[in-house]
Amino acid sequence: MAFSPDPRPPVDGAGEGNNEGCRARVTDIARAAGVSTATVDRVLNQRPGVRAATMQKVLKAAAALDYLPEADLYKAMQPKPMRLVFLLPPQSNRFMQMLGDYIAFSEEQLAPFNVKCKCHHIEGFNPSVLAKRLLHYGRQADGVAFMALEHPLVREAVNTLVAEGIPVVTLISDLSNSRRAAYVGMDNRAAGRTAGYLLGRFLGGAGNAKAKPMKVAMIAGSLSYRGHEEREMGFLHVLEEMFPHLQVVGLREGHDDADTNYKQARTLLEQYPDLVGMYNIGGASDGVGRALRESGREQKVVFIGHGLTPDTRGLLIDGTVDAILTQHPQNMIMNCVRIFGNLREKKEALAGVEAVRISVMLRENLP
């Protein structure tokens, strides 16, 4: 609702308890608050440039003069909603699609935080494109959250936005040596170790120095993601520590695309007919599942993946996937919103924000 100064002369007695039937005007509020009509106009229309103490004086005067209904006065006292932008990889990654859908349909749930959220799906594996989109969308917002690529161009874009007063949060995959305010996502190294531990236990032979050597493979979304690199390191370290009989024979990149993952998995299965385990570090595990089914080896190869989606849920139920490591989209988005709210209120970024937990989903514990 917009208000403009009223050029008409004030009604007699206005500002001293209005005569019945006489509505107060902007000039009356200005006189009662001891400010100009332009200042009253800025306060009532939530324009910048007014000190908090002056704003309170104007709003108190407006309330005393019954200038606005109580609901409108309350609205005028509220700061403008923070404009938050989320930049995510393409929707071909079902988990990213779920994140984007939650952002699109969460307006009512996020209303108490006084934010307006928008999501843009962009090229996720091109650092130049990502850096340009960061600057483009970030400069139109009060805060930006995104899935980071580990690259100097991306780091420079983040640091530029922060220098311009726009806070940045990394989501799912972090960015080293940057000025981002916080990281929201699982501990990816711990996730990789958990995947390795599950795979080793499912295949047996832990602690047995004479265990028969077995071949396992990995598929990554992209090792340009720090998160995927950390998962790989955690996975390899736990195999070396606890399951030295498991031999990693291949690491391929699938770019979180189901068709690419399908082709990579088919190649691995054909190249290694004795393959007994597979870990998909990134998304689009449905492509790997399709390759396992077509080869008739879905019950012979232990398969660990990431991201609980309708596709991976189905793979868990029919036994193609043995375990899925996941993080809850709602918790991740709410954590981002809380962090931006903390920054707006000049608090520590992570004040009251719980760390994202790794959930291990099996066929028997699906919600």
Side-chain angles (χ1 to χ4, degrees):
M1 183 182 297
F3 306 95
S4 299
D6 191 336
R8 295 175 298 171
V11 175
D12 289 342
E16 300 176 0
N18 289 330
N19 296 329
E20 187 174 353
C22 295
R23 181 174 180 268
R25 291 164 296 173
V26 168
T27 51
D28 305 326
I29 299 171
R31 185 169 60 251
V35 300
S36 68
T37 55
T39 297
V40 174
D41 179 67
R42 284 197 294 270
V43 171
L44 295 180
N45 289 286
Q46 296 178 290
R47 298 192 182 101
V50 183
R51 293 184 303 156
T54 303
M55 185 182 301
Q56 290 299 319
K57 287 170 61 177
V58 171
L59 292 173
K60 285 180 180 179
L65 293 170
D66 293 328
Y67 180 78
L68 293 175
E70 184 177 343
D72 286 339
L73 274 173
Y74 177 77
K75 180 181 178 182
M77 294 176 67
Q78 289 290 99
K80 285 188 175 181
M82 286 189 77
R83 300 163 301 162
L84 304 181
V85 170
F86 291 79
L87 304 182
L88 301 175
Q91 291 181 321
S92 57
N93 181 326
R94 296 296 179 89
F95 188 77
M96 297 303 162
Q97 182 180 352
M98 289 172 58
L99 272 177
D101 289 345
Y102 179 77
I103 294 166
F105 296 108
S106 63
E107 183 173 349
E108 184 175 340
Q109 185 174 354
L110 297 176
F113 295 92
N114 196 28
V115 298
K116 294 288 185 181
C117 298
K118 293 188 70 174
C119 177
H120 299 280
H121 290 275
I122 62 176
E123 169 57 50
F125 299 99
N126 186 321
S128 178
V129 171
L130 179 56
K132 290 176 182 177
R133 295 295 182 270
L134 267 172
L135 294 173
H136 173 74
Y137 290 114
R139 285 169 172 157
Q140 301 175 30
D142 300 310
V144 57
F146 79 112
M147 186 169 171
L149 280 174
E150 189 70 41
H151 194 278
L153 286 173
V154 179
R155 187 177 299 109
E156 186 64 18
V158 169
N159 293 344
T160 297
L161 287 176
V162 174
E164 294 176 4
I166 302 163
V168 178
V169 169
T170 51
L171 186 64
I172 300 176
S173 187
D174 203 0
L175 181 62
S176 62
N177 300 318
S178 70
R179 297 178 62 189
R180 56 85 170 143
Y183 162 67
V184 173
M186 66 170 63
D187 180 332
N188 285 299
R189 190 179 181 90
R193 289 185 63 87
T194 301
Y197 180 79
L198 289 170
L199 187 70
R201 294 296 294 179
F202 281 143
L203 291 172
N208 182 359
K210 296 182 180 181
K212 180 182 176 182
M214 300 179 180
K215 294 184 176 66
V216 299
M218 289 187 289
I219 295 178
S222 172
L223 295 182
S224 295
Y225 283 130
R226 176 178 168 183
H228 289 191
E229 184 181 22
E230 290 173 345
R231 291 175 190 178
E232 178 200 0
M233 288 190 298
F235 182 81
L236 293 175
H237 285 174
V238 84
L239 292 194
E240 183 179 352
E241 293 169 13
M242 300 183 63
F243 310 101
H245 64 291
L246 297 182
Q247 177 188 1
V248 178
V249 294
L251 172 60
R252 297 170 180 266
E253 290 186 319
H255 289 179
D256 289 348
D257 176 75
D259 289 336
T260 305
N261 276 356
Y262 165 77
K263 294 173 184 175
Q264 298 286 34
R266 283 292 305 218
T267 299
L268 286 166
L269 291 167
E270 291 168 4
Q271 187 174 359
Y272 302 103
D274 55 346
L275 193 73
V276 296
M278 195 173 296
Y279 173 37
N280 182 28
I281 294 173
S285 286
D286 51 314
V288 180
R290 177 154 55 101
L292 287 169
R293 285 172 172 169
E294 287 186 5
S295 66
R297 295 167 67 181
E298 69 272 22
Q299 302 300 323
K300 299 177 182 178
V301 175
V302 175
F303 179 25
I304 311 293
H306 278 268
L308 185 63
T309 66
D311 292 326
T312 54
R313 183 186 181 90
L315 294 172
L316 278 169
I317 290 173
D318 70 17
T320 301
V321 171
D322 294 277
I324 287 290
L325 308 182
T326 196
Q327 45 200 334
H328 298 288
Q330 298 92 331
N331 293 346
M332 297 175 69
I333 301 305
M334 291 304 297
N335 277 2
C336 288
V337 170
R338 288 189 180 98
I339 288 167
F340 286 120
N342 286 339
L343 295 172
R344 174 175 55 188
E345 296 171 13
K346 309 300 182 184
K347 298 179 181 177
E348 290 292 329
L350 296 175
V353 178
E354 294 186 5
V356 175
R357 299 180 180 179
I358 303 170
S359 295
V360 179
M361 306 308 303
L362 309 171
R363 182 172 66 175
E364 305 303 328
N365 72 340
L366 283 172

